[in-house]
Structures are given as C-alpha cells and as structure tokens.
Amino acid sequence: MLPASVKLPSRKLSAPPDQTPPSESGFLLTGRQKEAVSAIEKSLPGGYAGFLLHGDTASGKTEVYMHLAGRLISRSRQLLVLVPEIAITAQLVDRFRARFGSARTALWHSGMTPVRKGALIMKLLKGDVDILIGTRSAVFAPFRDLGGIVIDEEHDPSYKEQSSPYYDARKVAGMRCRIESAVLVEASATPEVESMHTALSGETELLRLPGKPAPGGRTRVEVVDMRHEKKGFFFSRRLLSALEETLEKKAQAVILINRRGYAPYVVCKTCGENIKCPECSGGLVYHSANRSLLCHFCGFSRALVRKCPLCQGEVFRYSGAGTQRVAAALEKIFPDEKVLRLDSDAAGKSGGERIFRSFLDRRCSILVGTRLVAKGWDFPGVELTGVINAEAGLMVPDFRAPERVYDLLSQLAGRASRGSASGRLIVQTLNPGHYAVRALLEGDYMSFYEQEIKNREGSGFPPFSRLISLSASGERVPARLGKAAENLSRIPGTELLGPVRLPGRGGRRRNTWKVLLKTRGEAVRKELLETGARGGLNGIRVNVDPGDIT
C-alpha cells in the first residue's frame, strides 16, 4: 500500500504537452491487420474484452500491438506487453521506443534493483510511462490507468511460475483486465491448445492474421529421416549441404539442439557406468568451457572425474551432443565462419542481449542454441534454420509433449525468411511420421490442433479437465501425501494419479513425491481450500493447472 502522503493524478488526464501521441500515418496495415486493430478498437470504450490473435510468424502481430498502444495513448491509458523471456525483450523494446519514444517506454524484469524498480513504479503510477514491456512478473506492476495487456507468444510455458506461488501470468492478466476494464490480447503463431479451444468455444474472440505482409516467401520445411544417415554424426548430408549454400550467399543460419553443454552422457569405458549426480541420480553433463560436470536437474556441479565411482576405471566416453559440442563441430567444418552459442549458460545475466546484437549485426554467420533461439527474434539475415534430434521432446512423459515440439519447430521455422528471401527449415528426426512433424510439413496449425484436441478428449486431459499437483518432501511423505490425495479423489469426477517419486530434486528436496489430481469439476478446489484451512495440507505444495507434470 502506498503512503498516505503520495497523491496520484486522477485517472483521466490529457496527454502531457511534450507527449503528443505519435502519428501512425507512415505505418500501413494489411487488410487482416486492419480488421484485427478495428475489432480490438471497438472494445476500448467498453469494459473487458478478450482476444486471441492467431498470426503466422512474421505476419505482423507486433504492428497490431503498436497500433493498439497508439489508440490507448490517445485515450491517456497505458499498455502492458508481456514477453516469455528477457532475452527477446531488447528487440521489442527497440521497436516500441523507435515509434513512441524512449522516455515513454519502459522495461520490467526480475534483474532490476529495488531502487530502479521503485522509481519505475512511481513513473507508472504518475502516468509518465505509456508502455511497459516485461517478463512474467510484470503482470503485477501497478499502473495509473491500465487500458490493455498484450501477451506475446502466449503459448510459451515460461508464463507459468514453477515454484510457489505457482501463478500463471496469463490467468493473472485475464483477471486483471476484467477488474480494470481493459482489453486482453493473447497472440501466437501456435496458440496453446487450451487457448484455441476457449476461442473456438466463443469465450474469447478469435482474430486470424495469416501470411507475411513483407515481400518474401514462406519457410520451406524439409524433414530428414536420421535412420538413414551415418550413425554417431550430428549433421545430415542435407543440412550440411544447405549450410554450405547459405554461407556462400553470405546469409545466416540458426541451428537448434535443445540440450546445453558439450556431452549429455559421460560413460566409463571399462564398466559402462553413466556418471550420475550424487544428489538426485540424474546424469551429469560435461561442459567443456570450464571442464566440469553439471546436473541440469538440481544444479549440482563438480570437477571432471578422474576415476569411475563404480570400478575405478580412468577412461571415459563423452556421448551425445549439446550446444557446445555442436558449435565446436561447426567451427571445424566451417573454419572461416564465426559461430555463436545461445543457451542459458552463454546468456548469463545479460539475457543474451550481447549475443543477439552480435548476430543481428552479422558479426557471425551461425547461431547454435537451445529453445532460446526459437523465441520471437527477428533476424533479417537468416535464411536457414535446422534442428537436431527433433524427436527428443516427444519422449518427455508429458501429455503436452507433442504440443511443445510443434510449437518449438514452428517458431524455429519463423526465424527464417524474415527478410526478403525465402527460408528453409531442416528437421532431423528419427520419428518423421509423428503427427506433429506431419502438421509442420503441411504448415497447418489447425490440422495439428484437431488431432491434439481429439487425443486430449480421449484421455481426459485439459481442456477437458483441470489438473492439480500436490507435492511434498520428507521421510514420511508417501503416506501423508497419499492420504490427502485419496481424500480429495473421493470427490465425484476426480481421478488420482500417483504418488510417484520425482527425479532431479537435490539437497533438502531429495526425497520429493508428487500426486496428480485430474478433475472435471470445481468441487475439488473448494475442498482444497477447506482442507488447507484445517491444516490438512501443511507441508504440501499445491499447484493448480501445473505447466509441467513431469
């Protein structure tokens, strides 16, 4: 709560003398963009309105956001733009500041100091900032008069907080827009299945934005069946050939492998033992930069082992491929080209902005990275994208696995042909017949959605049910957790899955168990509140609508 001494301006103010709303006459919209802007603008004088903007990659969704910002500024209202990763905020901030001015556009992220965040909060409350761009936590930022929230790449799982209080920024944004009589625009080339189901049910308005407004063709997708390629080699002949052609044209390429590090598996050659994490038993990954072994589950790290803990053998094999190893291989194959790597290790605290700037300025030819490289970057020089081991994501024991793989590959395709030339996406996989891969070849999100929603309905997973995860740590966890879940599962329409022990939980969370409740009604939520009030959930973490069930 603000101190009583702080007085805020009234909600409706005219634009400050030095802040005339920018003219948009020089920014022409396509027919579909005009329709989208017009539909959203019609709702501005009223109360809450929700929209799902389904637009192909490079179809001009950002221009719709900026026209909405202009309309709100003319009404002395403010706009919040949420993005899934801090790594992609820099480019979006640049575009908004170029249009609306640096002073009136601000950035919010978790790395801000309390002093900077406090100063920004006062500017927002005074109305000195018109547009705020930020990651998940920005949804809680205070405004003088919030007129709209845009959720860019709304399908991204990063919007769901994976630790207590387990909030989903998309749901918080929807509730906030209802409270503040603001418009909500969720946008994606591959909307979350639940979001598309909501739109097709009429609960939100579906706006379609197909095609690419700028000159240039669509990305051509090619699938390589790696069962017919040389075993143990990262690159198919087609991908290497395409890389050579792209580099000869002085164009750029992006290669995705969704695993960081140099080698995912460190194996003793004497006994075959996979060197594991002593904290959580997950496999340790070799990182060549500092010659260390790191657990990607619990964060445990140690120096490179000298002897096998099982047989004392001293010779190891480093198997599999991570971003470091793929980047090193490309540097050897193309010694005259500069290769950059973008993953959470390389990005560090800067969020990858330095790497992004270097690649955008064409100071390197090839960018290798994890799913970060498939986010909403706009690289005009990229004409080729490739993915290694596309099937890896399909092996995750999660009902959302096909959706996540389709989203990732579609977003990666969108990194190519952002400029005037047509682009290519080459997908290397051992499972070319999977429906997510086939839908990608057809370039048809709705064909994927129809198959996926059919599967969800048959299995009873969201949007045809709600999921509630209960987890706890401790020696007597299974019995205590199981009893609480069993009581809840007696509610009609509720199914109990588990309890199961979770992998990858080190230190004090080493003995962690979880149960999953699948429910088709709201009664279980009420019972959870009542059980918690009685102390029946003490020590148990409750996550409603978990984004990750593994």
Side-chain angles (χ1 to χ4, degrees):
M1 178 175 281
L2 290 170
S5 59
V6 177
K7 295 183 178 180
L8 303 179
S10 59
R11 286 177 62 85
K12 296 297 179 183
L13 295 178
S14 58
D18 61 341
Q19 178 59 23
T20 303
S23 169
E24 295 170 347
S25 59
F27 303 95
L28 300 178
L29 298 174
T30 65
R32 288 300 183 96
Q33 286 174 321
K34 286 180 182 177
E35 291 175 9
V37 171
S38 177
I40 297 169
E41 187 176 17
K42 286 178 183 176
S43 69
L44 295 183
Y48 165 79
F51 301 90
L52 176 61
L53 181 60
H54 179 204
D56 293 343
T57 51
S59 61
K61 294 187 291 296
T62 304
E63 193 60 45
V64 174
Y65 309 161
M66 289 200 278
H67 273 70
L68 171 59
R71 303 295 197 272
L72 289 175
I73 291 171
S74 69
R75 291 172 166 80
S76 298
R77 303 196 75 184
Q78 296 158 297
L79 176 68
L80 169 63
V81 181
L82 294 177
V83 293
E85 299 278 355
I86 190 174
I88 65 174
T89 56
Q91 195 169 38
L92 196 60
V93 168
D94 286 350
R95 294 182 66 176
F96 271 91
R97 283 178 173 169
R99 181 80 63 89
F100 299 101
S102 298
R104 310 291 297 187
T105 303
L107 174 63
W108 177 292
H109 57 86
S110 59
M112 297 172 67
T113 64
V115 172
R116 287 185 59 195
K117 189 168 288 186
L120 176 54
I121 286 173
M122 293 310 300
K123 287 183 178 181
L124 288 166
L125 290 170
K126 290 178 181 178
D128 292 340
V129 170
D130 296 316
I131 303 161
L132 181 66
I133 300 172
T135 49
R136 183 176 58 224
S137 62
V139 75
F140 297 110
F143 288 83
R144 178 181 60 80
D145 191 357
L146 181 63
I149 298 179
V150 169
I151 304 179
D152 191 36
E153 310 290 359
E154 69 84 31
H155 65 275
D156 199 290
S158 300
Y159 286 117
K160 173 71 177 183
E161 173 62 71
Q162 294 301 320
S163 59
S164 183
Y166 299 111
Y167 71 92
D168 189 324
R170 293 162 295 197
K171 290 183 170 61
V172 176
M175 182 60 68
R176 187 165 185 183
C177 285
R178 286 180 172 86
I179 293 171
E180 304 198 35
S181 298
V183 298
L184 174 67
V185 179
E186 300 179 88
S188 175
T190 56
E192 190 181 42
V193 168
E194 289 96 317
S195 299
M196 179 56 74
H197 184 263
T198 299
L200 293 176
S201 300
E203 296 179 42
T204 56
E205 185 173 347
L206 179 61
L207 305 174
R208 297 189 186 274
L209 202 62
K212 178 181 174 183
R218 297 175 65 90
T219 300
R220 186 170 79 254
V221 179
E222 304 172 36
V223 175
V224 178
D225 188 344
M226 291 301 287
R227 293 173 297 181
H228 305 309
E229 295 289 327
K230 181 180 178 181
K231 290 184 178 181
F233 196 52
F234 313 141
F235 312 109
S236 64
R237 290 162 293 181
R238 190 182 307 182
L239 180 57
L240 285 178
S241 176
L243 275 168
E244 191 171 5
E245 293 171 12
T246 301
L247 297 174
E248 283 178 356
K249 292 191 295 181
K250 304 299 180 183
Q252 293 172 294
V254 172
I255 304 297
L256 180 144
I257 177 166
N258 207 20
R259 186 186 291 271
R260 57 195 172 101
Y262 186 87
Y265 312 107
V266 181
V267 181
C268 173
K269 281 192 171 182
T270 304
C271 68
E273 171 72 2
N274 180 21
I275 308 302
K276 293 183 173 63
C277 172
E279 293 288 338
C280 69
S281 300
L284 292 174
V285 178
Y286 172 51
H287 286 247
S288 62
N290 53 6
R291 293 182 59 78
S292 66
L293 299 177
L294 177 65
C295 177
H296 290 179
F297 287 111
C298 70
F300 171 84
S301 64
R302 61 162 298 169
L304 202 60
V305 292
R306 300 291 182 184
K307 293 184 178 182
C308 172
L310 190 65
C311 73
Q312 302 301 304
E314 299 182 1
V315 182
F316 298 93
R317 182 175 72 250
Y318 300 93
S319 304
T323 49
Q324 290 181 1
R325 195 169 194 174
V326 169
L330 288 171
E331 287 174 342
K332 290 181 179 179
I333 297 171
F334 302 103
D336 296 331
E337 305 292 344
K338 184 173 177 57
V339 180
L340 276 182
R341 179 170 56 88
L342 178 61
D343 53 28
S344 59
D345 296 326
K349 294 183 179 179
S350 69
E353 185 172 351
R354 175 186 55 80
I355 299 169
F356 152 70
R357 297 289 181 191
S358 181
F359 194 62
L360 184 64
D361 294 341
R362 300 201 181 198
R363 294 199 291 271
C364 73
S365 305
I366 304 173
L367 180 64
V368 177
T370 54
R371 60 184 305 120
L372 277 176
V373 300
K375 302 288 183 179
W377 305 101
D378 189 354
F379 296 127
V382 172
E383 294 184 17
L384 173 68
T385 54
V387 58
I388 296 171
N389 298 341
E391 71 284 342
L394 297 171
M395 300 176 186
V396 177
D398 189 336
F399 73 94
R400 290 191 178 93
E403 179 183 7
R404 297 274 166 82
V405 168
Y406 180 81
D407 291 344
L408 183 62
L409 298 183
S410 297
Q411 294 297 321
L412 185 62
R415 298 318 104 213
S417 65
R418 303 289 288 195
S420 58
S422 297
R424 297 169 70 184
L425 166 64
I426 296 179
V427 179
Q428 297 185 168
T429 178
L430 294 169
N431 191 2
H434 193 278
Y435 67 90
V437 177
R438 294 200 309 271
L440 183 75
L441 270 172
E442 296 166 5
D444 184 6
Y445 166 83
M446 290 309 298
S447 70
F448 169 78
Y449 170 81
E450 289 165 4
Q451 179 63 53
E452 182 66 12
I453 203 71
K454 181 179 178 182
N455 294 348
R456 300 274 186 96
E457 187 173 18
S459 59
F461 278 112
F464 302 100
S465 67
R466 300 288 297 277
L467 297 180
I468 299 174
S469 169
L470 306 179
S471 62
S473 305
E475 293 302 323
R476 299 181 180 179
V477 161
R480 181 160 48 91
L481 192 61
K483 183 178 180 181
E486 185 180 354
N487 291 335
L488 293 169
S489 67
R490 293 194 182 112
I491 298 172
T494 301
E495 180 183 351
L496 174 64
L497 305 175
V500 295
R501 186 172 182 172
L502 291 180
R505 294 294 186 267
R508 283 176 288 181
R509 298 185 63 194
R510 189 170 184 175
N511 189 27
T512 301
W513 294 75
K514 179 172 76 172
V515 297
L516 200 64
L517 291 171
K518 188 193 298 183
T519 178
R520 287 178 168 81
E522 293 298 314
V524 72
R525 290 163 62 91
K526 181 181 178 182
E527 181 64 26
L528 275 170
L529 291 173
E530 294 177 356
T531 303
R534 295 193 302 266
L537 295 176
N538 289 347
I540 297 177
R541 294 177 291 274
V542 180
N543 185 358
V544 179
D545 299 325
D548 185 358
I549 68 169
T550 56

